[in-house]
Amino acid sequence: MRGLDGKTVVVTGGGGGIGAPTSLRFAQEGARVVVMDVNGVAAKKTAAKIQNSGLQAIASVLDLTNAEDTAAEIAHIENVFGEIDILVNGVGWDVFTPFLKSGPDFWTKIIDLNLRSVLNITHPVLSSMTVRRSGKIVSLASDAARGGSSGESVYAACKAGIIAFSKTLAREHAHHGISVNVVCPGVTETGMLEAFMEEASDKEKLRQAFTRAVPMGRLGQPEDLTGAILFFASDDANYITGQVLSVSGGLTMHG
């Protein structure tokens, strides 16, 4: 895709799930990739895989729920790896729990990981982008935010917050030459989904039920998301901002 070669990209949650293949795709397009993850082993493994292919990547081990540490790490990255041209907010985590069976400690953890972490990293990155008057921010939300999802009430609320947050930033910073867009995965085979499956009484029956619900007849793979993410980050999307795109095999079809 146009305009990714030579760019510096930060991918949060880059060690696994959707983040790992996204990091690799950016590197294959010629970008310098910062693979950021709280899981140091995963971040370093993904960065090493990219480096072993002769491409450019570094690992950044960071807990994004800590605002001070996040701001300091962004300053460090900009000093040693260059100005951040593209931010992909890919971090996310949930445990499927009915709302009335959850409580404040669980809510706080979900909100910190899925919403506050996005605020913490977007603030320093966006501050630098406004000075340069250029940049792309792509955040992963979820179709749970658009249509609801049983057992994911607080997670869905956070992801809906990311959509509203992104649309507002898109309005506030369009005149700075900065675009902000959102990609919403549907049911995708990541570690989070696998953990949910393991708790089911009949894992295979549940998998078949999820699969039948998808018009395309299969569950999403992490690699299915990379094209949409890279598109929003590329020059091909220079006149697109404040938009939300579902990648769900047709499970959700929002206008």
Side-chain angles (χ1 to χ4, degrees):
M1 294 183 185
R2 295 188 303 120
L4 297 176
D5 188 27
K7 296 292 179 66
T8 297
V9 184
V10 172
V11 180
T12 73
I18 296 166
T22 299
S23 296
L24 179 58
R25 274 291 307 277
F26 271 114
Q28 290 171 338
E29 295 285 344
R32 299 184 297 270
V33 183
V34 179
V35 182
M36 185 175 286
D37 206 298
V38 69
N39 184 331
V41 172
K44 292 172 184 175
K45 181 179 179 180
T46 299
K49 180 178 180 180
I50 293 170
Q51 293 164 355
N52 291 339
S53 299
L55 304 172
Q56 299 183 72
I58 60 170
S60 172
V61 183
L62 179 65
D63 178 359
L64 288 167
T65 66
N66 187 308
E68 291 184 359
D69 287 352
T70 300
E73 179 67 2
I74 292 304
H76 173 70
I77 290 168
E78 290 178 332
N79 285 334
V80 303
F81 210 52
E83 297 173 334
I84 297 168
D85 302 294
I86 299 163
L87 170 63
V88 177
N89 286 311
V91 69
W93 179 83
D94 192 21
V95 174
F96 288 76
T97 306
F99 180 65
L100 291 180
K101 293 185 179 181
S102 66
D105 289 345
F106 177 74
W107 307 338
T108 297
K109 184 174 183 178
I110 295 294
I111 292 168
D112 283 351
L113 287 169
N114 293 289
L115 182 57
R116 188 177 295 276
S117 67
V118 174
L119 307 183
N120 286 345
I121 191 168
T122 300
H123 192 277
V125 172
L126 181 60
S127 296
S128 295
M129 287 179 173
T130 58
V131 173
R132 301 194 310 275
R133 303 186 72 82
S134 68
K136 300 285 181 72
I137 299 174
V138 184
S139 294
L140 293 187
S142 170
D143 271 348
R146 309 185 82 184
S149 177
S150 297
E152 294 189 285
S153 56
V154 183
Y155 175 82
C158 291
K159 293 301 187 178
I162 287 175
I163 292 174
F165 174 63
S166 299
K167 286 178 176 289
T168 301
L169 292 188
R171 290 188 181 278
E172 291 181 350
H173 294 285
H175 70 285
H176 288 125
I178 298 165
S179 69
V180 187
N181 291 292
V182 179
V183 174
C184 284
V187 182
T188 306
E189 292 196 277
T190 63
M192 191 171 81
L193 180 65
E194 192 61 31
F196 172 64
M197 293 285 197
E198 290 296 335
E199 295 179 2
S201 57
D202 189 333
K203 177 180 176 181
E204 189 53 37
K205 184 177 181 180
L206 180 60
R207 184 182 298 278
Q208 291 174 2
F210 276 142
T211 303
R212 284 195 302 271
V214 180
M216 285 191 173
R218 66 174 178 85
L219 300 184
Q221 300 300 311
E223 292 78 10
D224 290 322
L225 278 296
T226 60
I229 295 167
L230 267 73
F231 168 68
F232 276 141
S234 75
D235 285 355
D236 292 317
N238 278 349
Y239 197 55
I240 301 174
T241 195
Q243 302 305 307
V244 183
L245 175 62
S246 292
V247 181
S248 65
L251 178 63
T252 51
M253 298 186 183
H254 295 283

